[in-house]
Amino acid sequence: MKTFAMMVLGCKVNDYEATYLRNKLLNDYKEVTFKEVADIYIIFTCCVTNIAEAKTRKMLHRARNLNPNAYIVAVGCLAQIKGKNEEFKDIDLVIGSNHKDEIYDLINKHFIGNKLEELNKPKFEKLFFDHYPGKSRAFLKIQDGCNQFCSYCIIPYARGSERSGNYVDLINQANLLSKTNKELVLTGIHTGRYFDGKNHLYDLLLGLNEIKELKTIRLSSIEINEISNSIIDLMKNNNKLAHHLHIPVQSASNKILKLMNRPYTIEEYINRINYIRKEIPDISISTDLIVGFPLEDDEAFEETLNNLFKIKFSFIHVFPYARKKGTKADSYSGHLDSSVKKQRVSKVFELEKNIEIEFKKSFINKKLELLIEKKDDQYVYGYVKQYFYVKAKGSGNIGDLVDVIIEEVNELEVLGHVA
Ligand code: SF4
């Protein structure tokens, strides 16, 4: 039996697409680790961080060294941007943001001697499968691509223009996954822009809501101006839609938001958050933030810190700005030293630490729902619907949703017991 090894870098969308391919390959091929000799090496690449880029190069090099005759496949964002350039010339198959539904056939064809080509036409591929092995929560890719062109972001170039999965196909796929996974995370590059020509995100949420076996539906990330009042109402009146929204703010200074080409002011962002919190008081709102963007002077950074303090996110993914060749921001003047960016990351961490703990403490003595990911003799472990990790005394099965009472919150963990 021929063997394959797979490495998945980057985001949930890569994870979803890789799971689709892995499930198909396992019918005909045996999986080995990326440290072993394999006939096929597949890398789902990422271009968002320099670390992911460096790791991709390292893995490609390792694959060629382990087996000079291996068939090497690079898939995803970095593959799309680099194409078959000097660095990637040694790779047999480069699949960028499209045609991922054809990789399996292309691999098979290779072993019967067909010539392979890099392909290039944008469409939403039907990457559907019936189970998500090894995960208590399954991802469902509903959308791909982005038309926003934020000035720092390479994704619209890498993933191409927006397209969405067909409503009926997605409901069918969700039905299949719900047999083994109680929680579904809706993923995409610009999820809030889901539109299949007839149905918007709200319609899809309504349809998913009807699936009996599905206990939790979670939106992975959504832009502030794409959370409609009907979505908020649905979330408020329906226990299935997790009370958690990840809403990238990216900066909390209007000057920087404008330079970033983000489509809102910080006042608009805060007003909308206030409205959401008024409607759904126990909601967790988290965010992504970039610090050290070109021309972010001390004043702009202070404005950001002050606004973060006002907003009080339940957690912040903070990144130092990284230059990306080909983006608008790369050509800006006023790039900052990495030492300044580092200091700003630490300041955000410092500010956020207590806010995060206070948020979790607001649930002490309250009942929350936890999806069990791990267990031992005394405890079950997993994320609650508000998306923080809890260690709860009691028992249950992996993949089950149980009620837990929160008892204690400290810097390291949140403790509770199964109700
Ligand atoms: S919305 Fe902006 S940050 Fe998000 S993928 Fe599109 S361009 Fe990138």
Side-chain angles (χ1 to χ4, degrees), residues 117-232:
E117 296 288 332
E118 186 184 347
L119 304 165
N120 242 334
K121 222 173 90 236
K123 62 171 183 161
F124 186 88
E125 299 110 339
K126 289 189 194 180
L127 308 178
F128 294 152
F129 44 91
D130 61 3
H131 66 294
Y132 220 117
K135 302 247 186 222
S136 29
R137 65 176 54 78
F139 300 138
L140 176 66
K141 181 182 158 185
I142 63 166
Q143 188 276 345
D144 207 338
C146 180
N147 298 349
Q148 172 65 34
F149 287 91
C150 299
S151 65
Y152 51 83
C153 184
I154 197 75
I155 297 285
Y157 307 93
R159 285 259 167 193
S161 55
E162 290 169 5
R163 59 246 184 228
S164 298
N166 171 273
Y167 173 90
V168 176
D169 289 341
L170 292 174
I171 296 289
N172 287 341
Q173 166 71 351
N175 256 307
L176 282 177
L177 291 176
S178 69
K179 309 268 179 272
T180 46
N181 301 82
K182 301 262 186 298
E183 179 171 328
L184 208 55
V185 185
L186 306 189
T187 66
I189 299 303
H190 203 146
T191 318
R193 299 270 300 167
Y194 173 83
F195 182 57
D196 73 347
K198 199 168 157 210
N199 302 285
H200 290 92
L201 182 60
Y202 173 72
D203 306 305
L204 182 64
L205 290 171
L206 275 184
L208 292 170
N209 197 38
E210 295 299 312
I211 301 176
K212 280 210 173 60
E213 279 104 334
L214 205 56
K215 299 294 177 221
T216 308
I217 305 163
R218 191 182 291 282
L219 288 166
S220 64
S221 173
I222 187 162
E223 295 288 337
I224 191 80
N225 44 355
E226 288 156 12
I227 312 163
S228 63
N229 284 357
S230 35
I231 293 181
I232 296 169

Side-chain angles (χ1 to χ4, degrees), residues 17 25 52 58 69 72 173 178 182 204 228 261 263 271 277 292 298 312 319 328 340 350 375 379 395 399-400 402 418:
E17 293 168 352
L25 286 171
K58 194 170 150 198
N69 298 317
I72 301 183
Q173 166 71 351
S178 69
K182 301 262 186 298
L204 182 64
S228 63
N261 192 31
N271 285 342
R277 284 194 172 134
D298 289 346
K312 300 200 187 327
F319 305 94
K328 194 170 171 203
V340 176
E350 201 46 45
K375 63 176 190 168
Y379 294 95
S395 58
D400 278 357
V402 291
V418 177

Side-chain angles (χ1 to χ4, degrees), residues 280-293:
I280 312 170
D282 69 341
I283 196 158
S284 160
I285 297 179
S286 54
T287 202
D288 292 331
L289 179 81
I290 298 172
V291 295
F293 191 74

Side-chain angles (χ1 to χ4, degrees), residues 223-288:
E223 295 288 337
I224 191 80
N225 44 355
E226 288 156 12
I227 312 163
S228 63
N229 284 357
S230 35
I231 293 181
I232 296 169
D233 284 349
L234 187 65
M235 203 171 241
K236 178 179 165 183
N237 299 317
N238 174 312
N239 198 31
K240 225 180 237 191
L241 204 50
H243 286 189
H244 170 226
L245 285 172
H246 188 78
I247 314 172
V249 67
Q250 305 301 13
S251 169
S253 145
N254 281 333
K255 172 181 131 179
I256 302 303
L257 285 172
K258 201 161 179 213
L259 286 167
M260 286 177 161
N261 192 31
R262 300 290 289 166
Y264 49 81
T265 64
I266 194 60
E267 290 77 19
E268 287 163 349
Y269 186 98
I270 294 175
N271 285 342
R272 196 70 184 140
I273 296 278
N274 289 343
Y275 176 77
I276 299 170
R277 284 194 172 134
K278 181 168 77 59
E279 293 298 306
I280 312 170
D282 69 341
I283 196 158
S284 160
I285 297 179
S286 54
T287 202
D288 292 331

Side-chain angles (χ1 to χ4, degrees), residues 331-347:
S331 64
Y332 286 173
S333 60
H335 284 268
L336 304 182
D337 262 15
S338 56
S339 59
V340 176
K341 295 182 201 172
K342 244 180 158 171
Q343 272 174 15
R344 292 187 178 173
V345 169
S346 312
K347 282 197 174 163

